[in-house]
Amino acid sequence: MLIILINGVGYYEDGSPTEACAVYLKALEIMEGHFKEKGMVGHKAQFMALAFTHLTEMFSDLYLHEQTIYFGTLTLDYYNNYEASAWHKAWILDEIGSHFEMKEQLDSASYYYQKAAATLNDTAVLMYRDIITHQTLYKHNTGEPAEDSIQQSHQLLSIAQDEGERLARCWA
């Protein structure tokens, strides 16, 4: 089954998202055909989450917002069926939030950004700073008080790990 996912990644890296999508969906179909929904726990749920994560990433890269949000929420369901790391959950929540923001569904974007930030218990990791950067830009774009956005941006710059990260955040 893992070979199927690897083949999907290969197709996608070769510039064939249609073939990659077909491979991912075939893997999901096989798994769903062998196991009932209640049986999708542990390693089985982890496999399903991996396949849905690949689909989420693929549709995100193609700026297909509806599909990204749909597969992202399915990914979250499977993350909850096994002990997924907080980092994985935070990443997918942030990804869903950014696509809601691109669709200009700002209440949903805010909800997912807040949930993503709350999922991580380590505020020193890069993922947390990325989520806060998205939230800060979101707040600025929605017209929240400029002082809050500017203050939060300065705080993020002060905890950046190196000059490259500081520079990237200034350009964002």
Side-chain angles (χ1 to χ4, degrees):
M1 198 56 71
L2 187 58
I3 298 298
I4 293 173
L5 283 182
I6 292 170
N7 287 341
V9 172
Y11 279 121
Y12 189 59
E13 288 178 352
D14 286 340
S16 303
T18 304
E19 287 87 356
C21 183
V23 170
Y24 296 144
L25 291 173
K26 182 66 176 174
L28 292 168
E29 181 183 316
I30 291 169
M31 284 294 286
E32 289 172 342
H34 286 2
F35 302 101
K36 294 184 189 259
E37 189 68 29
K38 291 180 182 177
M40 295 289 189
V41 295
H43 291 300
K44 295 170 195 152
Q46 190 173 12
F47 176 84
M48 296 295 281
L50 181 62
F52 282 122
T53 298
H54 282 298
L55 284 165
T56 302
E57 287 179 301
M58 186 180 71
F59 287 123
S60 177
D61 289 347
L62 298 170
Y63 292 97
L64 296 169
H65 309 305
E66 292 292 332
Q67 292 84 350
T68 301
I69 291 166
Y70 174 74
F71 285 110
T73 54
L74 289 175
T75 302
L76 282 174
D77 291 341
Y78 284 103
Y79 280 165
N80 292 327
N81 289 347
Y82 77 98
E83 294 180 24
S85 72
W87 188 90
H88 288 118
K89 290 178 184 178
W91 178 84
I92 203 78
L93 288 164
D94 184 52
E95 194 71 19
I96 293 169
S98 67
H99 281 274
F100 271 122
E101 186 174 359
M102 287 184 248
K103 287 181 57 168
E104 297 183 6
Q105 293 180 352
L106 302 179
D107 289 341
S108 295
S110 177
Y111 169 80
Y112 280 98
Y113 287 150
Q114 289 173 8
K115 204 167 177 182
T119 300
L120 289 175
N121 55 5
D122 185 0
T123 60
V125 296
L126 181 61
M127 171 59 68
Y128 181 80
R129 293 192 300 275
D130 285 345
I131 292 166
I132 298 303
T133 299
H134 288 153
Q135 275 187 317
T136 301
L137 186 58
Y138 161 82
K139 288 177 182 179
H140 174 74
N141 289 339
T142 57
E144 290 194 24
E147 302 88 40
D148 292 343
S149 297
I150 292 170
Q151 183 181 19
Q152 204 165 25
S153 295
H154 283 288
Q155 182 183 7
L156 285 172
L157 290 173
S158 70
I159 61 172
Q161 286 185 330
D162 57 28
E163 190 64 30
E165 183 183 342
R166 274 190 284 289
L167 188 57
R169 295 206 187 282
C170 286
W171 283 346

